[in-house]
Amino acid sequence: MLTDEQKNQFDRDGYLLLPNLLSDDERQALIDRAYGIIEEADLEQTSRFSTTDRAQINNDYFLGSAEAVRCFFEEGAFNDQGVLQQPRAQSINKIGHALHDLEPVFTRFARRPDFGDLARDLGHAQPALYQTMVIFKQPRIGGEVTWHQDATFFHTDPTSVITYWFALEDATLENGCLWVEPGGHRGPLRERYFHEQGDLRMEPLDDTSWPTDAGTPMPVKAGSLLVFHGHLPHYSASNRSDRSRLALTFHVVDAACEYAKENWLQRPNLGVFNM
């Protein structure tokens, strides 16, 4: 699927932008189903998601989402009285994490042969899709996602996780596009997220600083795919604009590598989703 030049760019920068990879019909089907899930869901007010205050996350609800489809509210969705500040369809941070297993619209999309070909072009012997998320970055209340590396949450030996970040809507500087550190994937893994007996914790590994003054913004058009290495530092600002920034993410690992039993996301019942 990729040219030698594209492979070299991924090796050098840690990411690759592939424009116009999704048709308008594909995008709209995914968007429509995401909002349908929200309308159908029996939502729990305690199911919030935040990268700036992980104490707000309900661990049991979060861990159960590894093999389910669950909605998580934005950190700022509720006022001090516990009332939603805008309609619930505009209050959800994300839906995850087994959409590709349990939602036919997402399953059909994930089965596109070129997505497996892409992972193999980037060195995966046995591409396996472990997690899917729809991330809304809601207007006015969309939360910041602090600098991080996805291999923190999907540890394999050796490191193999690749992120597919599909823009379902235009991502702009105003509505919270991704920022990346070109070449930063060659640096160390700074943290690991551990799950032990129902408890979740972040353990520091390396004190290399995050690229707070050296990031590169990645505004992209709807229908584009940004694919990046699991060690690539990336970030997105809060969204205070009047436009959402929907994205669909895949986290793909090489099933030929050892997947850590301490990772928060485990799939004992769903098994491996081969690509």
Side-chain angles (χ1 to χ4, degrees), residues 87 113 123 189:
L189 187 64

Side-chain angles (χ1 to χ4, degrees), residues 55-275:
Q56 292 203 35
I57 299 175
N58 180 321
N59 283 3
D60 290 339
Y61 187 84
F62 180 69
L63 289 168
S65 70
E67 296 189 297
V69 175
R70 292 183 174 176
C71 300
F72 297 82
F73 282 107
E74 283 283 359
E75 180 180 0
F78 299 92
N79 63 20
D80 293 341
Q81 289 73 46
V83 178
L84 284 176
Q85 301 191 77
Q86 48 194 43
R88 77 175 191 168
Q90 296 181 357
S91 302
I92 298 298
N93 173 289
K94 69 173 181 176
I95 304 173
H97 293 91
L99 289 158
H100 57 291
D101 294 287
L102 304 176
E103 285 289 336
V105 171
F106 290 88
T107 302
R108 286 193 295 273
F109 180 70
R111 288 292 186 199
R112 275 182 45 167
D114 51 340
F115 296 153
D117 292 342
L118 173 59
R120 281 182 280 272
D121 279 354
L122 295 176
H124 280 37
Q126 300 176 39
L129 176 54
Y130 263 65
Q131 173 178 280
T132 41
M133 296 186 293
V134 175
I135 304 171
F136 290 84
K137 192 69 81 167
Q138 297 286 3
R140 295 171 292 278
I141 63 169
E144 175 189 16
V145 178
T146 55
W147 283 100
H148 65 285
Q149 299 160 295
D150 287 351
T152 290
F153 306 95
F154 293 91
H155 187 75
T156 63
D157 186 16
T159 296
S160 68
V161 65
I162 301 172
T163 300
Y164 293 12
W165 195 94
F166 301 95
L168 300 183
E169 297 177 326
D170 290 346
T172 67
L173 286 170
E174 291 73 29
N175 69 6
C177 69
L178 289 183
W179 290 64
V180 301
E181 181 191 16
H185 65 299
R186 294 191 294 272
L189 187 64
R190 285 125 162 117
E191 302 172 304
R192 271 194 66 187
Y193 197 50
F194 280 86
H195 171 219
E196 293 179 329
Q197 299 180 338
D199 291 328
L200 297 167
R201 75 176 194 276
M202 190 71 78
E203 182 172 303
L205 300 178
D206 189 279
D207 61 2
T208 300
S209 60
W210 296 107
T212 52
D213 297 321
T216 298
M218 295 295 297
V220 297
K221 300 295 292 183
S224 301
L225 167 60
L226 183 67
V227 57
F228 52 90
H229 190 282
H231 277 215
L232 183 75
H234 57 288
Y235 153 89
S236 65
S238 57
N239 181 12
R240 297 298 175 256
S241 78
D242 291 329
R243 297 183 60 187
S244 57
R245 190 227 63 188
L246 265 72
L248 170 66
T249 63
F250 290 176
H251 287 106
V252 180
V253 303
D254 192 339
C257 300
E258 182 180 355
Y259 186 82
K261 65 181 184 301
E262 301 88 7
N263 288 338
W264 81 267
L265 190 147
Q266 303 291 330
R267 297 169 53 88
N269 299 309
L270 294 176
V272 176
F273 187 100
N274 293 308
M275 300 179 74

